[in-house]
Amino acid sequence: MANANYDVIVIGAGPAGYVAAIRCAQLGLKTACIDNWTNTKGDPSPGGTCLNVGCIPSKALLESSHLYAQSQHDLEQHGISVGEASIDIAAMQSRKEAVVNKLTGGIKQLLGANKVTFIHGKGRVQPERQVVVLDIESGKINETLSAKDIIIATGSEPIELPGFKFDHKKVLDSADTLALKKVPEHLLIVGAGVIGLELGSVWRRLGSEVVMLEALEDFLPMMDTQVAKEAAKIFRKQGLDIRLGTRVTNAEVKDGSVAVTYSNADGEETETFDRLIVAVGRRPRSEELFASDSGLTLDERGYI
């Protein structure tokens, strides 16, 4: 199999990877960018988590849900009457996909315009500064590349809690939640961080009863105290049931629902939900990224 040579190989085409690849090419370096994101049509979809299942789709759904909530609660005070509003989830999701596809398509054009060789596949670092490109479906090696320098920009993925394995039907990660086809009646979100709050806000506005369980005693502790305090007021006014100092201990899918056991200062309780969303943070997307003899090792959290 032919070995293509580059000055730089970038693995990952998210906001770090595609920018790095473009800049390298602008500096006159022969550059390849490998990325394995695929959209719902099966086409390459550079842009990483941010464009595909993160910032962009979440903001698209937040806007749609905000407009829906406005039509129900906020317009009459302006003298505007629109009657009883309804939400078409399929149309809302279709708009979100159109926004995502427009932006990921723009990334592909940018890479091409800057003479970056874009390769759709999964990159794996080998010894001697080589990278094999694996077929996304079969895992077989499509080609082997080499470079003077390799940039790792593979981003992150949702953390899966022990005992809460994602089945992508009842126990969901953030990407699953952004693609829901109907509004859950009773939704539990484990984790009241930025991701959990965005997801909870979208589906609460659309009609879900949303409970959020957060193990920490403080709300958004990484934020300025006053900002966090005001944010908590806004989210609770929106109808989010945010329970701090609450730790989930068990979840069991049965009879089409999820029975969740959690403990807090009052003891242990069990409650049943339509869906369980785990939003407790993210870890490096590094699984199978390096051959065992590549000279790079990972710690127990997946960091190099």
Side-chain angles (χ1 to χ4, degrees), residues 196-258:
L197 288 166
E198 284 196 347
L199 298 173
S201 184
V202 167
W203 296 105
R204 174 63 195 134
R205 286 169 174 170
L206 299 179
S208 287
E209 291 297 325
V210 179
V211 175
M212 305 190 70
L213 304 184
E214 171 57 58
L216 298 176
E217 297 287 345
D218 298 318
F219 183 72
L220 293 178
M222 77 294 292
M223 305 291 287
D224 174 85
T225 303
Q226 190 62 32
V227 171
K229 183 179 178 181
E230 293 304 314
K233 289 180 184 178
I234 293 169
F235 283 116
R236 286 187 166 119
K237 184 178 179 181
Q238 198 178 91
L240 295 179
D241 181 356
I242 302 170
R243 306 175 191 176
L244 303 175
T246 305
R247 187 175 298 275
V248 178
T249 56
N250 187 57
E252 183 181 358
V253 178
K254 58 181 180 180
D255 301 326
S257 300
V258 189

Tab-separated table of all heavy atoms in Angstrom, residues 196-258:
chain	number	residue	atom	x	y	z
A	196	GLY	N	-26.146	20.054	30.579
A	196	GLY	CA	-27.418	19.618	31.124
A	196	GLY	C	-28.454	20.727	31.146
A	196	GLY	O	-29.635	20.511	30.833
A	197	LEU	N	-28.040	21.938	31.489
A	197	LEU	CA	-28.965	23.068	31.559
A	197	LEU	C	-29.494	23.451	30.180
A	197	LEU	O	-30.679	23.767	30.028
A	197	LEU	CB	-28.284	24.267	32.218
A	197	LEU	CG	-28.048	24.128	33.723
A	197	LEU	CD1	-27.083	25.190	34.210
A	197	LEU	CD2	-29.371	24.216	34.484
A	198	GLU	N	-28.626	23.421	29.168
A	198	GLU	CA	-29.092	23.735	27.815
A	198	GLU	C	-30.130	22.713	27.356
A	198	GLU	O	-31.192	23.077	26.835
A	198	GLU	CB	-27.916	23.755	26.835
A	198	GLU	CG	-27.053	24.993	26.927
A	198	GLU	CD	-26.151	25.156	25.717
A	198	GLU	OE1	-26.016	24.196	24.927
A	198	GLU	OE2	-25.585	26.254	25.556
A	199	LEU	N	-29.818	21.433	27.554
A	199	LEU	CA	-30.738	20.385	27.124
A	199	LEU	C	-32.047	20.470	27.911
A	199	LEU	O	-33.141	20.342	27.336
A	199	LEU	CB	-30.089	19.012	27.317
A	199	LEU	CG	-28.819	18.750	26.501
A	199	LEU	CD1	-28.191	17.427	26.919
A	199	LEU	CD2	-29.116	18.750	25.012
A	200	GLY	N	-31.943	20.670	29.216
A	200	GLY	CA	-33.141	20.769	30.033
A	200	GLY	C	-34.004	21.953	29.639
A	200	GLY	O	-35.237	21.856	29.597
A	201	SER	N	-33.362	23.062	29.315
A	201	SER	CA	-34.084	24.264	28.936
A	201	SER	C	-34.882	24.046	27.654
A	201	SER	O	-36.055	24.442	27.552
A	201	SER	CB	-33.099	25.426	28.754
A	201	SER	OG	-33.780	26.624	28.466
A	202	VAL	N	-34.263	23.402	26.669
A	202	VAL	CA	-34.953	23.138	25.394
A	202	VAL	C	-36.226	22.335	25.632
A	202	VAL	O	-37.334	22.732	25.225
A	202	VAL	CB	-34.032	22.375	24.416
A	202	VAL	CG1	-34.835	21.822	23.241
A	202	VAL	CG2	-32.926	23.281	23.908
A	203	TRP	N	-36.093	21.196	26.311
A	203	TRP	CA	-37.240	20.290	26.416
A	203	TRP	C	-38.251	20.744	27.452
A	203	TRP	O	-39.451	20.436	27.335
A	203	TRP	CB	-36.743	18.863	26.656
A	203	TRP	CG	-35.944	18.403	25.467
A	203	TRP	CD1	-34.591	18.283	25.375
A	203	TRP	CD2	-36.458	18.101	24.174
A	203	TRP	NE1	-34.227	17.909	24.099
A	203	TRP	CE2	-35.351	17.784	23.347
A	203	TRP	CE3	-37.738	18.057	23.630
A	203	TRP	CZ2	-35.499	17.443	22.006
A	203	TRP	CZ3	-37.898	17.706	22.292
A	203	TRP	CH2	-36.780	17.405	21.498
A	204	ARG	N	-37.837	21.531	28.434
A	204	ARG	CA	-38.808	22.114	29.362
A	204	ARG	C	-39.698	23.111	28.634
A	204	ARG	O	-40.925	23.120	28.813
A	204	ARG	CB	-38.078	22.796	30.525
A	204	ARG	CG	-39.012	23.566	31.460
A	204	ARG	CD	-39.994	22.645	32.149
A	204	ARG	NE	-41.082	23.396	32.758
A	204	ARG	CZ	-42.363	23.088	32.656
A	204	ARG	NH1	-42.750	22.029	31.944
A	204	ARG	NH2	-43.281	23.818	33.258
A	205	ARG	N	-39.107	23.955	27.811
A	205	ARG	CA	-39.893	24.930	27.051
A	205	ARG	C	-40.906	24.252	26.137
A	205	ARG	O	-41.986	24.790	25.866
A	205	ARG	CB	-38.965	25.806	26.196
A	205	ARG	CG	-38.172	26.849	26.961
A	205	ARG	CD	-37.140	27.434	26.046
A	205	ARG	NE	-36.407	28.539	26.648
A	205	ARG	CZ	-35.317	29.089	26.111
A	205	ARG	NH1	-34.831	28.610	24.961
A	205	ARG	NH2	-34.719	30.086	26.695
A	206	LEU	N	-40.539	23.059	25.658
A	206	LEU	CA	-41.420	22.343	24.719
A	206	LEU	C	-42.446	21.476	25.426
A	206	LEU	O	-43.269	20.834	24.769
A	206	LEU	CB	-40.578	21.488	23.772
A	206	LEU	CG	-39.588	22.260	22.888
A	206	LEU	CD1	-38.790	21.307	22.015
A	206	LEU	CD2	-40.316	23.287	22.026
A	207	GLY	N	-42.396	21.431	26.772
A	207	GLY	CA	-43.460	20.751	27.495
A	207	GLY	C	-43.058	19.640	28.425
A	207	GLY	O	-43.900	19.087	29.138
A	208	SER	N	-41.785	19.256	28.463
A	208	SER	CA	-41.353	18.185	29.362
A	208	SER	C	-41.354	18.651	30.817
A	208	SER	O	-41.073	19.819	31.103
A	208	SER	CB	-39.930	17.725	29.021
A	208	SER	OG	-39.896	16.988	27.836
A	209	GLU	N	-41.659	17.715	31.710
A	209	GLU	CA	-41.389	17.935	33.128
A	209	GLU	C	-39.947	17.499	33.349
A	209	GLU	O	-39.618	16.318	33.205
A	209	GLU	CB	-42.342	17.115	33.989
A	209	GLU	CG	-43.786	17.585	33.935
A	209	GLU	CD	-43.955	19.000	34.489
A	209	GLU	OE1	-43.233	19.342	35.455
A	209	GLU	OE2	-44.788	19.755	33.951
A	210	VAL	N	-39.062	18.434	33.661
A	210	VAL	CA	-37.629	18.159	33.710
A	210	VAL	C	-37.117	18.224	35.146
A	210	VAL	O	-37.284	19.239	35.832
A	210	VAL	CB	-36.836	19.158	32.832
A	210	VAL	CG1	-35.343	18.869	32.921
A	210	VAL	CG2	-37.299	19.078	31.384
A	211	VAL	N	-36.503	17.118	35.573
A	211	VAL	CA	-35.831	17.060	36.871
A	211	VAL	C	-34.334	16.976	36.620
A	211	VAL	O	-33.885	16.201	35.769
A	211	VAL	CB	-36.295	15.836	37.692
A	211	VAL	CG1	-35.487	15.717	38.990
A	211	VAL	CG2	-37.782	15.930	37.991
A	212	MET	N	-33.559	17.772	37.340
A	212	MET	CA	-32.113	17.756	37.206
A	212	MET	C	-31.489	17.416	38.554
A	212	MET	O	-31.769	18.077	39.563
A	212	MET	CB	-31.600	19.112	36.711
A	212	MET	CG	-32.247	19.573	35.417
A	212	MET	SD	-31.429	21.009	34.690
A	212	MET	CE	-29.882	20.281	34.155
A	213	LEU	N	-30.660	16.371	38.571
A	213	LEU	CA	-29.983	15.950	39.796
A	213	LEU	C	-28.502	16.291	39.695
A	213	LEU	O	-27.828	15.880	38.757
A	213	LEU	CB	-30.164	14.445	40.015
A	213	LEU	CG	-31.601	13.924	40.053
A	213	LEU	CD1	-31.600	12.433	40.369
A	213	LEU	CD2	-32.449	14.684	41.063
A	214	GLU	N	-28.007	17.038	40.655
A	214	GLU	CA	-26.612	17.470	40.676
A	214	GLU	C	-25.972	17.051	41.991
A	214	GLU	O	-26.479	17.395	43.069
A	214	GLU	CB	-26.533	18.987	40.492
A	214	GLU	CG	-25.153	19.590	40.696
A	214	GLU	CD	-24.101	18.982	39.790
A	214	GLU	OE1	-24.274	19.038	38.557
A	214	GLU	OE2	-23.115	18.436	40.324
A	215	ALA	N	-24.862	16.323	41.900
A	215	ALA	CA	-24.194	15.829	43.107
A	215	ALA	C	-23.585	16.959	43.932
A	215	ALA	O	-23.524	16.875	45.164
A	215	ALA	CB	-23.120	14.817	42.724
A	216	LEU	N	-23.130	18.039	43.274
A	216	LEU	CA	-22.519	19.142	43.993
A	216	LEU	C	-23.564	19.940	44.773
A	216	LEU	O	-24.730	20.014	44.381
A	216	LEU	CB	-21.776	20.067	43.019
A	216	LEU	CG	-20.613	19.439	42.246
A	216	LEU	CD1	-20.045	20.439	41.249
A	216	LEU	CD2	-19.520	18.963	43.203
A	217	GLU	N	-23.122	20.545	45.855
A	217	GLU	CA	-24.025	21.331	46.694
A	217	GLU	C	-24.286	22.718	46.109
A	217	GLU	O	-25.298	23.349	46.420
A	217	GLU	CB	-23.440	21.476	48.106
A	217	GLU	CG	-23.272	20.163	48.857
A	217	GLU	CD	-24.590	19.565	49.319
A	217	GLU	OE1	-25.607	20.298	49.307
A	217	GLU	OE2	-24.599	18.379	49.680
A	218	ASP	N	-23.359	23.212	45.285
A	218	ASP	CA	-23.479	24.563	44.726
A	218	ASP	C	-23.882	24.503	43.266
A	218	ASP	O	-23.498	23.599	42.526
A	218	ASP	CB	-22.152	25.310	44.861
A	218	ASP	CG	-21.733	25.489	46.312
A	218	ASP	OD1	-22.631	25.804	47.126
A	218	ASP	OD2	-20.548	25.306	46.621
A	219	PHE	N	-24.634	25.497	42.838
A	219	PHE	CA	-25.086	25.587	41.454
A	219	PHE	C	-24.037	26.307	40.611
A	219	PHE	O	-23.606	27.412	40.954
A	219	PHE	CB	-26.425	26.339	41.389
A	219	PHE	CG	-27.011	26.434	40.011
A	219	PHE	CD1	-27.561	25.321	39.405
A	219	PHE	CD2	-26.995	27.633	39.324
A	219	PHE	CE1	-28.102	25.397	38.132
A	219	PHE	CE2	-27.542	27.731	38.052
A	219	PHE	CZ	-28.094	26.602	37.451
A	220	LEU	N	-23.614	25.678	39.515
A	220	LEU	CA	-22.604	26.243	38.614
A	220	LEU	C	-21.416	26.824	39.393
A	220	LEU	O	-21.114	28.022	39.293
A	220	LEU	CB	-23.211	27.319	37.709
A	220	LEU	CG	-24.234	26.837	36.673
A	220	LEU	CD1	-24.787	28.029	35.887
A	220	LEU	CD2	-23.628	25.826	35.702
A	221	PRO	N	-20.722	26.015	40.158
A	221	PRO	CA	-19.638	26.530	41.005
A	221	PRO	C	-18.468	27.107	40.219
A	221	PRO	O	-17.678	27.869	40.785
A	221	PRO	CB	-19.205	25.293	41.810
A	221	PRO	CG	-19.609	24.125	40.976
A	221	PRO	CD	-20.885	24.548	40.314
A	222	MET	N	-18.345	26.759	38.938
A	222	MET	CA	-17.240	27.298	38.153
A	222	MET	C	-17.511	28.734	37.696
A	222	MET	O	-16.614	29.410	37.194
A	222	MET	CB	-16.973	26.401	36.936
A	222	MET	CG	-17.956	26.543	35.771
A	222	MET	SD	-19.652	26.004	36.138
A	222	MET	CE	-19.388	24.240	36.315
A	223	MET	N	-18.741	29.210	37.881
A	223	MET	CA	-19.118	30.545	37.449
A	223	MET	C	-18.957	31.555	38.580
A	223	MET	O	-18.834	31.188	39.759
A	223	MET	CB	-20.573	30.543	36.983
A	223	MET	CG	-20.896	29.532	35.894
A	223	MET	SD	-20.150	29.933	34.312
A	223	MET	CE	-21.172	31.308	33.824
A	224	ASP	N	-18.956	32.828	38.215
A	224	ASP	CA	-19.033	33.892	39.205
A	224	ASP	C	-20.257	33.656	40.089
A	224	ASP	O	-21.334	33.293	39.598
A	224	ASP	CB	-19.140	35.242	38.496
A	224	ASP	CG	-19.357	36.393	39.457
A	224	ASP	OD1	-18.377	36.908	39.998
A	224	ASP	OD2	-20.541	36.749	39.668
A	225	THR	N	-20.115	33.849	41.383
A	225	THR	CA	-21.175	33.520	42.338
A	225	THR	C	-22.485	34.235	42.023
A	225	THR	O	-23.564	33.637	42.049
A	225	THR	CB	-20.727	33.868	43.773
A	225	THR	OG1	-19.515	33.177	44.060
A	225	THR	CG2	-21.792	33.461	44.782
A	226	GLN	N	-22.407	35.533	41.705
A	226	GLN	CA	-23.622	36.297	41.437
A	226	GLN	C	-24.276	35.844	40.135
A	226	GLN	O	-25.508	35.748	40.045
A	226	GLN	CB	-23.304	37.799	41.375
A	226	GLN	CG	-24.538	38.695	41.331
A	226	GLN	CD	-25.411	38.561	42.577
A	226	GLN	OE1	-24.887	38.307	43.661
A	226	GLN	NE2	-26.713	38.693	42.424
A	227	VAL	N	-23.454	35.546	39.129
A	227	VAL	CA	-23.992	35.046	37.858
A	227	VAL	C	-24.711	33.723	38.074
A	227	VAL	O	-25.816	33.494	37.568
A	227	VAL	CB	-22.858	34.886	36.822
A	227	VAL	CG1	-23.370	34.150	35.583
A	227	VAL	CG2	-22.293	36.244	36.431
A	228	ALA	N	-24.076	32.831	38.846
A	228	ALA	CA	-24.684	31.529	39.117
A	228	ALA	C	-26.004	31.687	39.870
A	228	ALA	O	-26.983	30.983	39.591
A	228	ALA	CB	-23.709	30.663	39.917
A	229	LYS	N	-26.034	32.602	40.823
A	229	LYS	CA	-27.243	32.833	41.618
A	229	LYS	C	-28.390	33.317	40.736
A	229	LYS	O	-29.532	32.824	40.847
A	229	LYS	CB	-26.945	33.855	42.713
A	229	LYS	CG	-28.108	34.128	43.655
A	229	LYS	CD	-27.707	35.139	44.730
A	229	LYS	CE	-28.889	35.442	45.656
A	229	LYS	NZ	-28.511	36.448	46.696
A	230	GLU	N	-28.111	34.275	39.848
A	230	GLU	CA	-29.155	34.796	38.966
A	230	GLU	C	-29.590	33.742	37.944
A	230	GLU	O	-30.779	33.645	37.610
A	230	GLU	CB	-28.653	36.047	38.241
A	230	GLU	CG	-28.411	37.234	39.148
A	230	GLU	CD	-29.653	37.609	39.949
A	230	GLU	OE1	-30.751	37.672	39.352
A	230	GLU	OE2	-29.526	37.844	41.166
A	231	ALA	N	-28.609	32.945	37.447
A	231	ALA	CA	-28.944	31.883	36.491
A	231	ALA	C	-29.879	30.869	37.124
A	231	ALA	O	-30.838	30.404	36.502
A	231	ALA	CB	-27.674	31.206	35.992
A	232	ALA	N	-29.614	30.505	38.372
A	232	ALA	CA	-30.471	29.541	39.074
A	232	ALA	C	-31.907	30.057	39.152
A	232	ALA	O	-32.869	29.297	38.950
A	232	ALA	CB	-29.924	29.266	40.468
A	233	LYS	N	-32.073	31.349	39.429
A	233	LYS	CA	-33.413	31.946	39.488
A	233	LYS	C	-34.123	31.814	38.140
A	233	LYS	O	-35.310	31.450	38.070
A	233	LYS	CB	-33.318	33.418	39.870
A	233	LYS	CG	-32.914	33.690	41.310
A	233	LYS	CD	-32.854	35.198	41.538
A	233	LYS	CE	-32.364	35.532	42.936
A	233	LYS	NZ	-32.261	37.014	43.132
A	234	ILE	N	-33.392	32.126	37.073
A	234	ILE	CA	-33.985	32.102	35.735
A	234	ILE	C	-34.399	30.686	35.343
A	234	ILE	O	-35.509	30.452	34.843
A	234	ILE	CB	-33.004	32.686	34.706
A	234	ILE	CG1	-32.796	34.179	34.955
A	234	ILE	CG2	-33.497	32.442	33.282
A	234	ILE	CD1	-31.666	34.797	34.165
A	235	PHE	N	-33.503	29.728	35.570
A	235	PHE	CA	-33.814	28.343	35.183
A	235	PHE	C	-34.966	27.776	36.005
A	235	PHE	O	-35.814	27.050	35.485
A	235	PHE	CB	-32.565	27.463	35.318
A	235	PHE	CG	-31.585	27.640	34.203
A	235	PHE	CD1	-30.314	28.143	34.458
A	235	PHE	CD2	-31.916	27.316	32.891
A	235	PHE	CE1	-29.400	28.313	33.427
A	235	PHE	CE2	-31.005	27.475	31.864
A	235	PHE	CZ	-29.749	27.984	32.128
A	236	ARG	N	-35.004	28.099	37.293
A	236	ARG	CA	-36.101	27.593	38.122
A	236	ARG	C	-37.423	28.271	37.743
A	236	ARG	O	-38.490	27.641	37.765
A	236	ARG	CB	-35.769	27.779	39.596
A	236	ARG	CG	-34.705	26.780	40.082
A	236	ARG	CD	-34.483	26.825	41.576
A	236	ARG	NE	-33.733	25.665	42.029
A	236	ARG	CZ	-32.553	25.710	42.633
A	236	ARG	NH1	-31.974	26.881	42.867
A	236	ARG	NH2	-31.940	24.596	42.998
A	237	LYS	N	-37.375	29.549	37.399
A	237	LYS	CA	-38.577	30.238	36.941
A	237	LYS	C	-39.085	29.611	35.645
A	237	LYS	O	-40.291	29.555	35.387
A	237	LYS	CB	-38.266	31.728	36.726
A	237	LYS	CG	-39.484	32.556	36.332
A	237	LYS	CD	-39.119	34.025	36.187
A	237	LYS	CE	-40.349	34.841	35.775
A	237	LYS	NZ	-40.010	36.277	35.605
A	238	GLN	N	-38.151	29.126	34.850
A	238	GLN	CA	-38.516	28.442	33.602
A	238	GLN	C	-39.230	27.123	33.871
A	238	GLN	O	-39.923	26.595	32.998
A	238	GLN	CB	-37.234	28.201	32.796
A	238	GLN	CG	-37.422	27.895	31.330
A	238	GLN	CD	-36.074	27.738	30.644
A	238	GLN	OE1	-35.533	26.647	30.569
A	238	GLN	NE2	-35.534	28.829	30.147
A	239	GLY	N	-39.045	26.587	35.069
A	239	GLY	CA	-39.736	25.353	35.432
A	239	GLY	C	-38.835	24.156	35.625
A	239	GLY	O	-39.320	23.043	35.850
A	240	LEU	N	-37.508	24.349	35.549
A	240	LEU	CA	-36.585	23.244	35.781
A	240	LEU	C	-36.550	22.910	37.271
A	240	LEU	O	-36.369	23.797	38.111
A	240	LEU	CB	-35.178	23.599	35.310
A	240	LEU	CG	-34.985	23.817	33.804
A	240	LEU	CD1	-33.540	24.185	33.514
A	240	LEU	CD2	-35.375	22.579	33.014
A	241	ASP	N	-36.723	21.627	37.590
A	241	ASP	CA	-36.669	21.158	38.975
A	241	ASP	C	-35.231	20.739	39.260
A	241	ASP	O	-34.820	19.616	38.994
A	241	ASP	CB	-37.627	19.976	39.145
A	241	ASP	CG	-37.661	19.434	40.572
A	241	ASP	OD1	-36.882	19.928	41.412
A	241	ASP	OD2	-38.457	18.518	40.826
A	242	ILE	N	-34.438	21.669	39.798
A	242	ILE	CA	-33.000	21.446	40.007
A	242	ILE	C	-32.773	21.048	41.460
A	242	ILE	O	-33.073	21.826	42.379
A	242	ILE	CB	-32.199	22.717	39.664
A	242	ILE	CG1	-32.459	23.128	38.214
A	242	ILE	CG2	-30.705	22.482	39.891
A	242	ILE	CD1	-31.905	24.495	37.847
A	243	ARG	N	-32.220	19.849	41.664
A	243	ARG	CA	-32.003	19.331	43.008
A	243	ARG	C	-30.500	19.157	43.227
A	243	ARG	O	-29.880	18.269	42.633
A	243	ARG	CB	-32.734	18.006	43.196
A	243	ARG	CG	-34.227	18.085	42.850
A	243	ARG	CD	-34.897	16.725	42.930
A	243	ARG	NE	-36.237	16.767	42.357
A	243	ARG	CZ	-37.025	15.698	42.224
A	243	ARG	NH1	-36.589	14.507	42.661
A	243	ARG	NH2	-38.220	15.809	41.680
A	244	LEU	N	-29.939	20.001	44.074
A	244	LEU	CA	-28.507	19.969	44.352
A	244	LEU	C	-28.210	18.988	45.481
A	244	LEU	O	-29.092	18.595	46.242
A	244	LEU	CB	-28.015	21.361	44.715
A	244	LEU	CG	-28.270	22.461	43.684
A	244	LEU	CD1	-27.843	23.819	44.227
A	244	LEU	CD2	-27.557	22.165	42.372
A	245	GLY	N	-26.943	18.587	45.584
A	245	GLY	CA	-26.545	17.674	46.641
A	245	GLY	C	-27.244	16.332	46.546
A	245	GLY	O	-27.524	15.693	47.558
A	246	THR	N	-27.509	15.902	45.315
A	246	THR	CA	-28.259	14.667	45.074
A	246	THR	C	-27.446	13.750	44.172
A	246	THR	O	-27.041	14.147	43.084
A	246	THR	CB	-29.620	14.964	44.420
A	246	THR	OG1	-30.334	15.895	45.237
A	246	THR	CG2	-30.432	13.701	44.257
A	247	ARG	N	-27.223	12.542	44.622
A	247	ARG	CA	-26.366	11.596	43.885
A	247	ARG	C	-27.190	10.406	43.396
A	247	ARG	O	-27.886	9.761	44.177
A	247	ARG	CB	-25.229	11.119	44.790
A	247	ARG	CG	-24.191	10.262	44.090
A	247	ARG	CD	-23.039	9.934	45.038
A	247	ARG	NE	-22.346	11.147	45.469
A	247	ARG	CZ	-21.383	11.721	44.763
A	247	ARG	NH1	-21.001	11.211	43.604
A	247	ARG	NH2	-20.783	12.807	45.229
A	248	VAL	N	-27.100	10.133	42.104
A	248	VAL	CA	-27.798	8.989	41.519
A	248	VAL	C	-27.020	7.717	41.832
A	248	VAL	O	-25.799	7.657	41.655
A	248	VAL	CB	-27.939	9.163	40.004
A	248	VAL	CG1	-28.629	7.954	39.379
A	248	VAL	CG2	-28.732	10.416	39.682
A	249	THR	N	-27.732	6.696	42.301
A	249	THR	CA	-27.063	5.455	42.696
A	249	THR	C	-27.406	4.264	41.811
A	249	THR	O	-26.649	3.308	41.731
A	249	THR	CB	-27.406	5.107	44.157
A	249	THR	OG1	-28.839	5.024	44.294
A	249	THR	CG2	-26.870	6.170	45.110
A	250	ASN	N	-28.555	4.325	41.129
A	250	ASN	CA	-28.937	3.180	40.306
A	250	ASN	C	-29.982	3.594	39.276
A	250	ASN	O	-30.772	4.509	39.517
A	250	ASN	CB	-29.503	2.062	41.190
A	250	ASN	CG	-29.763	0.785	40.396
A	250	ASN	OD1	-28.851	0.247	39.771
A	250	ASN	ND2	-30.998	0.305	40.401
A	251	ALA	N	-29.945	2.928	38.140
A	251	ALA	CA	-30.954	3.150	37.101
A	251	ALA	C	-31.274	1.819	36.448
A	251	ALA	O	-30.376	1.047	36.122
A	251	ALA	CB	-30.452	4.149	36.062
A	252	GLU	N	-32.563	1.578	36.254
A	252	GLU	CA	-32.995	0.315	35.661
A	252	GLU	C	-34.082	0.589	34.630
A	252	GLU	O	-35.099	1.221	34.939
A	252	GLU	CB	-33.518	-0.629	36.743
A	252	GLU	CG	-33.922	-1.997	36.209
A	252	GLU	CD	-34.470	-2.906	37.297
A	252	GLU	OE1	-34.491	-2.482	38.475
A	252	GLU	OE2	-34.873	-4.037	36.959
A	253	VAL	N	-33.844	0.122	33.411
A	253	VAL	CA	-34.838	0.279	32.345
A	253	VAL	C	-35.807	-0.892	32.420
A	253	VAL	O	-35.414	-2.058	32.332
A	253	VAL	CB	-34.167	0.312	30.962
A	253	VAL	CG1	-35.230	0.428	29.868
A	253	VAL	CG2	-33.181	1.478	30.868
A	254	LYS	N	-37.096	-0.587	32.605
A	254	LYS	CA	-38.109	-1.642	32.644
A	254	LYS	C	-39.467	-1.065	32.262
A	254	LYS	O	-39.792	0.082	32.583
A	254	LYS	CB	-38.172	-2.284	34.025
A	254	LYS	CG	-38.463	-1.349	35.176
A	254	LYS	CD	-38.471	-2.108	36.499
A	254	LYS	CE	-38.772	-1.183	37.675
A	254	LYS	NZ	-38.785	-1.913	38.966
A	255	ASP	N	-40.233	-1.881	31.542
A	255	ASP	CA	-41.586	-1.505	31.112
A	255	ASP	C	-41.604	-0.172	30.364
A	255	ASP	O	-42.526	0.641	30.517
A	255	ASP	CB	-42.535	-1.434	32.322
A	255	ASP	CG	-42.628	-2.752	33.071
A	255	ASP	OD1	-42.555	-3.803	32.397
A	255	ASP	OD2	-42.761	-2.733	34.308
A	256	GLY	N	-40.564	0.067	29.549
A	256	GLY	CA	-40.541	1.269	28.722
A	256	GLY	C	-40.178	2.542	29.444
A	256	GLY	O	-40.270	3.633	28.871
A	257	SER	N	-39.771	2.434	30.717
A	257	SER	CA	-39.385	3.609	31.488
A	257	SER	C	-38.049	3.351	32.177
A	257	SER	O	-37.504	2.255	32.110
A	257	SER	CB	-40.458	3.941	32.536
A	257	SER	OG	-41.699	4.204	31.921
A	258	VAL	N	-37.551	4.383	32.844
A	258	VAL	CA	-36.300	4.266	33.587
A	258	VAL	C	-36.579	4.551	35.055
A	258	VAL	O	-36.981	5.662	35.409
A	258	VAL	CB	-35.222	5.239	33.065
A	258	VAL	CG1	-33.881	4.937	33.721
A	258	VAL	CG2	-35.094	5.168	31.554
